[in-house]
Amino acid sequence: MLSHSLQYVVFVIAVFALYWAVHRHYWPRMLLLLTASLLVYVSFLQVPLSAFVGGMPVGELVVKLVPLFIFLGGVTVDHLLVKGMGRTERPGVRKTLVVLSIVSNLGLLAGFKYLELLRKTVASLLGPWGVEVRPEPFHLLLPVGLSFFVFQAISYTVDVYRGKASSEHSFVEHLLYMLFFPRVVSGPIVRASELMAHFREVPTLSSDDGNKALFRIAVGLVKKLVIADVLGSGIVDPVFGSPHAYSSAECAVAAVAYTLELYYDFSGYSDIAIGVASLFGFKFPENFARPYLAKNLFEFWNRWHMSLSSWLRDYLYIPLGGNRRSKPRVCFNLMMVMVLGGLWHGADWRFAVWGGVHGVALCAVRCWWWFKGKQQEPGPVRVAFGMLATFTLVVLTRVVFRAPDMAHAGEFYARMLAGIPGLANVGPLMWSMLAIAVLAHAVPMKLYDMTALAFLKLPAPARAVVLVLLGLGIRQLSTLETRPYVYLQF
């Protein structure tokens, strides 16, 4: 049940109506949200509702629900550890409990996501020396949303340990915090103080807040269905699938198009998640702030996937020492964060390479600032150069991110740098969509705010007409097939 599908829209409308009918009563609204969240997650496991009433053999149903059982087990362990931290003031005991939580969560991630990568890596390293390593793959499943689940779980237990979150929440609240359906599989990564702390408050929703939420959802749908999907199916998939069949210029355009597709795909998902959460009285953190306008790579990472970037900063970079250590140690910390952040995206060394390149570039920028000093107000020429250099680096490294393996990425780079002219395969629709994507990213935020305000001032029937026309327009411009979100694979 993808959040840009008609099924999801109908589902949200039904849950919305039930929720606000019982919103003054704690247990009915909590159980409703938890049930809705479980249903959304189960839908990603391809389990139809009929399976729970005899439509599927019990054994097959249990196998399909294994990822859910894994999550329930993880939440149960964390909940017991959190309760243990809440019942003692002894620093040693509290530290032991939070370490157990971190180890158990990272153990889940390592076991289900990275064990196969470890097997293949050890086999490739020891094979030439005559050391035989298990040749067969482990064939372990990868639960949908595991990476986001683990990071959110760690943030809660660590925040309890640090005294930034309460340990007094019930198991139902803890479970709902982990599986809350607007963000269950792809984020944003929400801190306990941003969601869990508000579960016991009676929710409110003003007319303006509701209309803003609908506008935000509409923007997200346009980003995903009109811009991201059209770019993805129209040029990114064909060119990355067979780079040898396209010119160097077309490969370069496809690399830029993928960079834009990834942004509009994931920020569209985030807009829908933020808007849907707002409809239920919850405020999610922003996840993007026009990252391709960043003047340097540090600024880019402060604007891109901000919930992940802030997580890596607060729970990895700062504990490693952050900027407080020697200059070599600061560079080491940056490299560690970026390489591990790259691997978080997928169990493939190409993601580590992608993160490592960003780490080297961040170290280079940091060293330049140490040597020359950081300009607080750079001139327009320096700003333009910084934006161009940052965007170019992001585009070039995204080739590794998109390619299925390093060999394919190498083939794509070679084709892109071969100097073969020609743009015959980039049609008017693609040029128009690229222009729309660039302009929509570059326009001042005030324009978005003015558009939202104009939408809010329309009479209710007029707003309904606008939304219907928008839906019809999306249907005409978007691809006929429903494309999953890019970040679902991570």
Side-chain angles (χ1 to χ4, degrees):
M1 192 153 48
L2 299 170
S3 63
H4 58 282
S5 66
L6 180 60
Q7 296 95 323
Y8 186 79
V9 172
V10 174
F11 175 81
V12 169
I13 292 172
V15 177
F16 176 84
L18 292 172
Y19 178 78
W20 288 107
V22 301
H23 75 281
R24 296 186 180 278
H25 307 285
Y26 171 78
W27 280 112
R29 72 169 182 266
M30 289 295 293
L31 293 176
L32 175 65
L33 289 180
L34 181 57
T35 301
S37 300
L38 290 169
L39 288 174
V40 169
Y41 186 77
V42 166
S43 74
F44 281 95
L45 306 181
Q46 298 182 344
V47 179
L49 293 181
S50 60
F52 296 94
V53 290
M56 181 182 294
V58 174
E60 184 180 349
L61 176 61
V62 170
V63 170
K64 282 186 171 291
L65 292 178
V66 165
L68 179 59
F69 297 146
I70 292 170
F71 281 178
L72 292 175
V75 173
T76 301
V77 170
D78 279 341
H79 191 70
L80 293 174
L81 294 173
V82 162
K83 289 301 182 183
M85 279 190 278
R87 284 170 171 72
T88 181
E89 295 296 328
R90 297 169 61 184
V93 175
R94 288 173 59 84
K95 187 173 184 178
T96 299
L97 293 174
V98 75
V99 168
L100 285 174
S101 172
I102 294 172
V103 169
S104 66
N105 280 293
L106 292 181
L108 284 176
L109 193 61
F112 289 102
K113 189 169 183 177
Y114 299 107
L115 190 60
E116 179 61 22
L117 175 63
L118 178 62
R119 183 197 67 79
K120 291 191 293 187
T121 302
V122 172
S124 64
L125 292 175
L126 299 183
W129 297 90
V131 179
E132 185 176 349
V133 180
R134 174 190 172 104
E136 302 86 9
F138 288 110
H139 297 297
L140 294 174
L141 58 84
L142 177 59
V144 177
L146 180 62
S147 297
F148 286 94
F149 173 89
V150 166
F151 273 25
Q152 187 151 294
I154 290 175
S155 76
Y156 177 45
T157 55
V158 171
D159 282 355
V160 170
Y161 172 74
R162 292 173 174 175
K164 295 181 178 180
S166 172
S167 63
E168 298 305 313
H169 294 287
S170 67
F171 180 76
V172 169
E173 290 173 331
H174 194 159
L175 184 58
L176 181 58
Y177 166 67
M178 297 302 301
L179 291 175
F180 190 39
F181 74 88
R183 52 131 307 270
V184 63
V185 293
S186 294
I189 300 171
V190 185
R191 310 289 177 90
S193 59
E194 297 166 331
L195 178 61
M196 205 169 179
H198 303 293
F199 281 154
R200 298 185 184 182
E201 300 173 358
V202 177
T204 58
L205 181 68
S206 67
S207 176
D208 280 354
D209 288 340
N211 288 322
K212 288 178 182 177
L214 291 176
F215 182 81
R216 188 69 179 266
I217 293 169
V219 169
L221 289 172
V222 171
K223 285 182 176 180
K224 166 61 179 170
L225 296 174
V226 176
I227 301 178
D229 283 4
V230 171
L231 288 175
S233 61
I235 186 170
V236 174
D237 290 354
V239 177
F240 273 90
S242 303
H244 59 274
Y246 294 87
S247 70
S248 301
E250 288 166 344
C251 286
V253 171
V256 173
Y258 175 66
T259 302
L260 294 169
E261 179 202 3
L262 189 62
Y263 165 74
Y264 282 102
D265 184 277
F266 196 20
S267 69
Y269 173 93
S270 298
D271 285 337
I272 295 171
I274 292 168
V276 170
S278 296
L279 289 176
F280 293 89
F282 298 99
K283 185 176 181 181
F284 278 4
E286 294 294 333
N287 216 19
F288 294 90
R290 298 196 295 172
Y292 298 147
L293 299 183
K295 298 182 290 294
N296 58 67
L297 204 56
F298 280 96
E299 185 180 339
F300 170 80
W301 282 108
N302 286 329
R303 291 167 171 249
W304 174 270
H305 199 349
M306 294 187 290
S307 65
L308 174 62
S309 296
S310 63
W311 192 100
L312 292 171
R313 178 196 65 208
D314 295 344
Y315 301 100
L316 184 57
Y317 183 68
I318 292 176
L320 284 173
N323 300 331
R324 303 186 305 274
R325 303 295 181 89
S326 64
K327 289 181 173 62
R329 180 56 186 270
V330 170
C331 290
F332 171 80
N333 294 343
L334 285 171
M335 287 298 301
M336 282 289 292
V337 169
M338 295 311 301
V339 170
L340 292 177
L343 277 175
W344 174 86
H345 287 85
D348 192 305
W349 288 116
R350 63 190 170 88
F351 291 109
V353 171
W354 170 77
V357 172
H358 274 264
V360 170
L362 286 169
C363 290
V365 173
R366 179 69 71 182
C367 290
W368 176 259
W369 288 345
W370 285 331
F371 177 68
K372 296 289 290 185
K374 182 180 179 182
Q375 279 191 296
Q376 297 302 317
E377 296 183 7
V381 174
R382 188 179 291 271
V383 167
F385 176 79
M387 290 174 60
L388 179 61
T390 301
F391 185 70
T392 300
L393 176 68
V394 170
V395 170
L396 292 176
T397 55
R398 284 270 163 78
V399 172
V400 176
F401 204 80
R402 174 60 176 77
D405 50 53
M406 289 301 297
H408 194 94
E411 179 185 351
F412 192 95
Y413 284 128
R415 190 68 177 180
M416 187 166 57
L417 298 175
I420 302 171
L423 291 167
N425 292 295
V426 185
L429 177 60
M430 287 304 103
W431 285 121
S432 300
M433 202 54 62
L434 286 166
I436 290 171
V438 171
L439 290 174
H441 194 73
V443 296
M445 287 304 298
K446 287 184 178 180
L447 183 59
Y448 283 103
D449 295 337
M450 290 171 57
T451 305
L453 184 61
F455 178 78
L456 293 176
K457 289 183 176 180
L458 291 174
R463 289 198 299 269
V465 170
V466 169
L467 292 175
V468 170
L469 292 175
L470 179 62
L472 292 174
I474 289 174
R475 187 68 183 88
Q476 287 296 114
L477 289 173
S478 66
T479 56
L480 295 178
E481 62 182 68
T482 300
R483 294 167 60 89
Y485 288 103
V486 175
Y487 257 73
L488 282 180
Q489 64 185 293
F490 307 135

